Each structure stands twice: as structure tokens, then as C-alpha cells.
Amino acid sequence: MHSESKASLVGEEYEVEVGPVAHGGHCVARTAEGQVLFVRHALPGERIIAKVTEGEEGARFLRADAVRVLEASKDRVEAPCPFAGPGKCGGCDWQHAAPGAQRRLKADVISEQLSRLAGLTPEAAGWDGTVEPAPGDKVSRGEVPAWRTRVQYAVDEQGRPGLRRHRSHEVEPVDHCLIAAPGVTELGIEKREWPQIASVEAIAATGSLDRQVVLTPRPGGRLPIVELDRPVSVLRVGEPRGRERARTVHRVHGRPFVRERAAGRTWRVGEGGFWQVHLKAADLLVEAVMQGLMPRKGETALDLYCGVGLFAGALGERVGERGAVLGIESGKRAAEDARHNLQDLDRVRIEHGKVEQVLPRTGITEADLIVLDPPRAGAGKETVTRLAGLGARRIAYVACDPAALARDLAYFREAGYSPRRLRAFDLFPVTHHVECVAILEPAGKGR
């Protein structure tokens, strides 16, 4: 360990010209001395005063907030949310950017990640360079769509609900989250206090009136009696015991699941399990994946990281009685839900376990089609290489992180697969997140 500690630069202010957007909801700038700043609440081309929020002398980069704008971008708008801005809620990254500008910023990030990590131009990735808004999300300048069907409220020491500040455990109390879907807002969670509770997750199902709150008590905390503005089922997260790492969820009141509606079916999603957060995301992604794969009767397909079975169900209906679909899901409850959801499709089988462990065990040596929707970190080289060895005519890769997508596309290229088409969707408006669907084919196959 070094004995001398470097001087903190937190609180220092620099006048800078803002450079390009970077992955993570900030832009890049440099001080007069050449030190790199990652600046939030800024836009490319602006002149600003940046105040350092993290970093020390000699650090590879500093984090900063734009606290004064000296020359504004034409894309800048007044943030519609009173809780957005330096030192406030960290939930949204682009409240200060016009809707079209937000999508252009996301497109720039995707383009940069593809180039840097996969050596791909947009053209080589089969991408037109645009980020498509979700249906119904076209809003006027200075407005934000209310899209988020699941909101995790943090609770401060006084029991007030809010959202965490950027890169902090501190809670910014809020009385209304603008991006929360109407079904979340109508519960009235922000209007009451939550003593002895650490967090409240609110879930408003799409296509049913099911509403759920998942409460995480503080250590030793007791549950309050939950009386909200709409009927709601209540779950609580148990304290991890011993070696138990996965969270345990217990039913307190009402159903332990919500019913979601997508792709012409009803889906049971239990215990606060994973479901796409945007109101329109599930239908939009199924449509993009099926258009890209074009499944045929009698084909065999894999749905990896399958959740409650969304893509497996769509594939099962399209490959017909002579076809077969295998879904693999690591979450025990999600795998049970997937079996329940697809019990009418006997050509679909769901296996519980990690993809990298289950796939080799199945003895499968070939498949016609593959869908993978891995967690944020991506699938990784080993899994990609194994998938490429199955000889699928098409692979659909659904990605919530462009860096992980680009890394995995590079592994796929090494293993003989190249992207035929890429689409990007703005399923997380006013945040830096973006969803992509890449369709891959064996390299050398003509477009």
C-alpha cells in the first residue's frame, strides 16, 4: 500500500467544452491539464462548469456534474422532473435532452461499442443506425413517457420513499416519479411512510389489473399493514440465512404472482420475477425476434436465459407439433412459471439451471434456431463458442447492454457467425439503457 494519499478533487470546478457521449449516461470532457472528466447532466458540444463528484489527483478519470451551462446545446430542454439534476435522483440520465436527441445519443453509444469491441461498422452489423421508439412513446419536447411498470423505491431513515442518488446509497425522497407507469402511480406508494422498510418494489402488470408490492424490511424490521389506493398483493423479502445468497420471497397477502399479457398469451410471473419493464417491450421484442428468425414448421429451437418462457412460447407455436423447443432458465421460480405458462405446448421443454451447465448435459449437438437473452454481463466466450457449434441457421441475441452485445458479437465472429440484422429499441426512455436485437447467421451467407 502507498503511504501517501492523493489529494481529493471532489468539489473542484472546471470550465470545459463537452465532447462525445460515452456508455453509462455521461459525456466525456477534458480539463485544461488534459485530465478526463465523465460529466453527467451535460450534452455534446456544450460549454459548462463541471463540478467534480468523484476522483483524486492523477486518477485515470474524474466524475463530475454540469452545475452551470455557459453555452447550451440546441437539444437541451428544461428537465420536466423536479427531482432530476446534479446531486438529486440518479434514476434518469437524459431528462435534460429532447426525446429525439436521447435516441441519437444512444445510437452513438451503440455505434461506438460495436466499433471498439467488435470492429463492426453499423453497415457491417446490418443496422440502419437508428434507435426506434416504442409504440406510444412519441412525446413532445420537454415531456417524458410514463413507461416503467416496475419501480424500486428506496426508503430513507425517516420512512420516506424515494429513489437513490447517482452512485450513492443516499435516498432522494420523491412524491411522484414521472417515468412510472399509471398502474404504479395509482398505488399511491409515494404518498405514505414506510417505517422499518428498506425498499418497496411496485409492480403493475400489463394486460391485467394485478398489482404487487415487494417489501424488504430493514434488518429486524417489522412489516407495516399495507393499505394502498388500489387492491394489491404483498410479498416480503426474507433475510439471507447462512450460505443462502439468493433472495427468498414470502407471500404476505394475495397472489404470489402477477399475470402479464403478451404475444397473445397470459404469463404468470412469480415473486417479483423478471419481466420486461416497459409496457410494450414484451410484444415488441417477440415481434423483432420472430421476424428475424422466421421459424418454420418442424424446426428445433433453443431459448436460453428463457425467464418465464416468452420466446419459447412464441417459438413453440410456430415450429408446430413436429418441432421442439428447449428453454433453459437459472431461476427456480421462473423455470416453474415457464412450465406452467407453456403446459399446453407439449413440444416445449423447460430445464432449470445455468445455461453453461445445463446445455452440455442435454446432449444436444444441433439446433435450427437459437434465442438468447442473457443478463447484463452477456453470454461470454465459452457459451458463445458452444452455441456456434450447434450449426443453427439463425441466432437471435437480445441484449440490454451494448458493450456486452459487442463483446459477444466479436466471439460469435471468431466462431463463424456474423450479424445479418441489428435493431435497437428505446425501451428505457430518459435513462442511458437501450435494448438491441441482433440476428446472426453463419458467416459467408449472403444478405
Side-chain angles (χ1 to χ4, degrees):
M1 287 178 68
H2 299 292
S3 53
E4 77 277 8
S5 60
K6 301 201 169 149
S8 168
L9 293 175
V10 173
E12 289 291 318
E13 293 189 355
Y14 299 94
E15 183 177 327
V16 294
E17 183 155 330
V18 181
V21 65
H23 186 25
H26 47 247
C27 296
V28 182
R30 286 182 186 272
T31 66
E33 296 76 43
Q35 190 154 27
V36 173
L37 293 172
F38 287 160
V39 190
R40 279 172 63 80
H41 312 291
L43 291 171
E46 293 188 324
R47 272 206 89 70
I48 60 156
I49 302 293
K51 186 174 188 173
V52 177
T53 55
E54 270 182 61
E56 56 194 20
E57 282 178 358
R60 215 157 48 84
F61 62 85
L62 307 172
R63 293 185 186 276
D65 283 338
V67 289
R68 285 205 301 293
V69 180
L70 308 176
E71 289 172 29
S73 160
K74 66 178 181 7
D75 292 325
R76 179 172 281 277
V77 296
E78 187 74 35
C81 176
F83 307 108
K88 297 182 184 175
C89 171
C92 295
D93 306 287
W94 301 118
Q95 286 266 356
H96 59 288
Q102 292 175 35
R103 292 193 288 274
R104 288 194 298 276
L105 290 167
K106 294 183 191 200
D108 287 348
V109 168
I110 296 167
S111 194
E112 192 259 342
Q113 298 295 313
L114 287 173
S115 167
R116 192 164 62 83
L117 298 172
L120 287 168
T121 61
E123 191 181 30
W127 178 43
D128 66 5
T130 66
V131 173
E132 305 170 44
D137 272 1
K138 286 200 166 166
V139 292
S140 304
R141 193 179 169 92
E143 291 182 337
V144 298
W147 56 271
R148 195 174 181 97
T149 61
R150 291 161 179 246
V151 178
Q152 178 100 27
Y153 295 95
V155 180
D156 70 10
E157 299 285 342
Q158 286 77 50
R160 295 176 303 178
L163 297 158
R164 295 202 187 279
R165 294 175 184 148
H166 182 60
R167 293 176 61 80
S168 167
H169 290 297
E170 286 181 32
V171 178
E172 176 77 17
V174 303
D175 55 25
H176 176 47
C177 175
L178 285 185
I179 64 172
V184 169
T185 301
E186 69 186 18
L187 293 176
I189 282 167
E190 299 127 328
K191 295 191 298 204
R192 59 163 290 167
E193 291 185 350
W194 298 88
Q196 303 189 52
I197 296 295
S199 74
V200 181
E201 183 181 9
I203 297 169
T206 307
S208 82
L209 291 174
D210 292 353
R211 305 286 180 261
Q212 189 176 78
V213 295
V214 184
L215 303 178
T216 305
R218 294 187 180 277
R222 292 174 57 187
L223 283 193
I225 292 169
V226 178
E227 290 175 345
L228 292 170
D229 296 355
R230 291 284 186 281
V232 67
S233 63
V234 180
L235 307 180
R236 75 183 287 274
V237 177
E239 291 182 35
R241 291 194 193 91
R243 287 189 178 168
E244 209 175 273
R245 287 294 152 95
R247 74 174 196 169
T248 56
V249 182
H250 311 282
R251 184 178 73 90
V252 177
H253 166 76
R255 285 196 191 97
F257 57 86
V258 295
R259 292 163 301 179
E260 300 279 1
R261 188 87 191 146
R265 298 174 78 90
T266 297
W267 306 87
R268 185 180 84 181
V269 184
E271 296 179 354
F274 175 77
W275 183 259
Q276 289 290 340
V277 178
H278 190 290
L279 290 154
K280 302 286 174 60
D283 278 324
L284 195 59
L285 292 173
V286 167
E287 186 187 349
V289 167
M290 295 306 133
Q291 278 179 357
L293 293 180
M294 302 196 63
R296 302 167 190 154
K297 297 279 188 232
E299 288 193 311
T300 57
L302 296 175
D303 178 10
L304 308 178
Y305 316 93
C306 73
V308 299
L310 181 66
F311 299 118
L315 287 164
E317 285 171 357
R318 286 163 176 78
V319 298
E321 286 178 18
R322 290 182 299 112
V325 180
L326 172 67
I328 302 177
E329 167 56 37
S330 63
K332 189 161 182 280
R333 177 61 201 252
E336 287 169 9
D337 285 340
R339 288 185 190 121
H340 169 87
N341 293 332
L342 304 174
Q343 59 191 329
D344 61 313
L345 295 172
D346 54 12
R347 68 210 70 147
V348 179
R349 191 172 102 233
I350 305 293
E351 293 279 353
H352 165 238
K354 292 188 171 168
V355 168
E356 61 270 25
Q357 291 165 0
V358 173
L359 197 53
R361 275 210 313 264
T362 60
I364 289 172
T365 55
E366 54 186 22
D368 297 308
L369 301 172
I370 299 171
V371 180
L372 65 157
D373 184 3
R376 193 165 294 284
K381 185 168 190 175
E382 194 181 328
T383 297
V384 165
T385 307
R386 181 174 287 279
L387 295 182
L390 299 176
R393 69 173 176 85
R394 284 199 180 166
I395 297 173
Y397 188 130
V398 183
C400 60
D401 183 76
L405 171 67
R407 279 194 301 272
D408 282 347
L409 286 181
Y411 298 141
F412 269 116
R413 190 176 54 208
E414 284 173 36
Y417 276 79
S418 57
R420 172 192 174 84
R421 186 164 190 213
L422 176 70
R423 292 176 74 187
F425 300 100
D426 193 14
L427 298 185
F428 309 89
V430 292
T431 76
H432 74 270
H433 300 289
V434 61
E435 196 89 10
C436 295
V437 176
I439 306 297
L440 297 102
E441 283 187 339
K445 232 178 142 179
R447 282 193 195 279

